Structures are given as structure tokens and as C-alpha cells.
Amino acid sequence: MLDKFYSKADGYLSLVDDSMNDFTKALVLHDAIVMNSEYFIKKDGVNGTPYTLMVEGWGKCEDYSRAYAYLLAQAGIKSFPPRRARTSRAEFLTSTSSSATAPSRTTRATT
């Protein structure tokens, strides 16, 4: 399951490179997410998550902001996601809480 998320994240991250400044990187990542997702709170009875936003292309505002915060962190850009974002990989991808740090790609699970 997480492999699909990381694969999709890698695809978005391949759109930016070190020749870009942080603003340009952030704009490119933002536009890519927005152009490849739709707003749904629930779809087929399932609540959206950053995973559904990245992999399936749908989610709510919080899902977008958490997925975007993850991509920004992986691009080396500090951001301040919503207060309710989680820090662990599993919590970050599946639920809501109160933290402001995206999980690190270097500590991601290999399952």
C-alpha cells in the first residue's frame, strides 16, 4: 500500500530539481497535486486521506495539505501544515491529530 504512495510521491518530486528555488519547487508541486486530484470528503463511504489524494486522486482540503506538506518536506522545504497533521508514517497517511511534521522519506517503511 505505501509503495504506491511513495511511487506517486517520487513522480511528483521528479518534477522539481536543484536548479529551482524553493518558491518554484513549491509552486510546481502545488500545481501538480491540484491538477491531478478532485475534492471529495467521502467516496463510496470511505473518508479521504493523503493516500487517497496521492494515489487515487481524491480527498478533502486536509488531505491535500498533508500530502503537500509531505512533498515539501521531501523537497527540503520547511512548511507548517495544519495543526491536525500527524508525524508518524501510518498516522500521517490514515488519520488526523495535532502535529506539524511530515514523515521523513529516509525512515519510511519498506513493506
Side-chain angles (χ1 to χ4, degrees):
M1 177 177 165
L2 290 178
D3 288 341
K4 289 181 182 179
F5 179 89
Y6 293 126
S7 176
K8 196 63 140 173
D10 288 342
Y12 284 123
L13 292 166
S14 72
L15 301 173
V16 299
D17 61 50
D18 291 337
S19 71
M20 299 174 176
N21 63 30
D22 286 352
F23 177 82
T24 302
K25 289 179 188 178
L27 185 60
V28 167
L29 292 171
H30 165 272
D31 290 352
I33 292 174
V34 169
M35 297 303 295
N36 289 290
S37 60
E38 297 180 272
Y39 180 82
F40 285 99
I41 294 175
K42 285 187 178 183
K43 194 170 189 179
D44 299 325
V46 176
N47 285 320
T49 66
Y51 178 88
T52 64
L53 188 99
M54 294 279 284
V55 175
E56 299 174 19
W58 66 273
K60 56 193 176 297
C61 297
E62 182 180 353
D63 307 326
Y64 161 81
S65 63
R66 290 165 65 203
Y68 185 50
Y70 176 80
L71 292 174
L72 290 174
Q74 297 309 307
I77 301 171
K78 285 187 177 186
S79 67
F80 300 94
R83 204 176 81 205
R84 294 177 55 183
R86 293 250 187 174
T87 57
S88 80
R89 291 178 303 279
E91 292 170 336
F92 182 79
L93 296 173
T94 60
S95 64
T96 60
S97 181
S98 61
S99 173
T101 306
S104 168
R105 164 177 261 139
T106 59
T107 60
R108 73 181 184 196
T110 57
T111 58

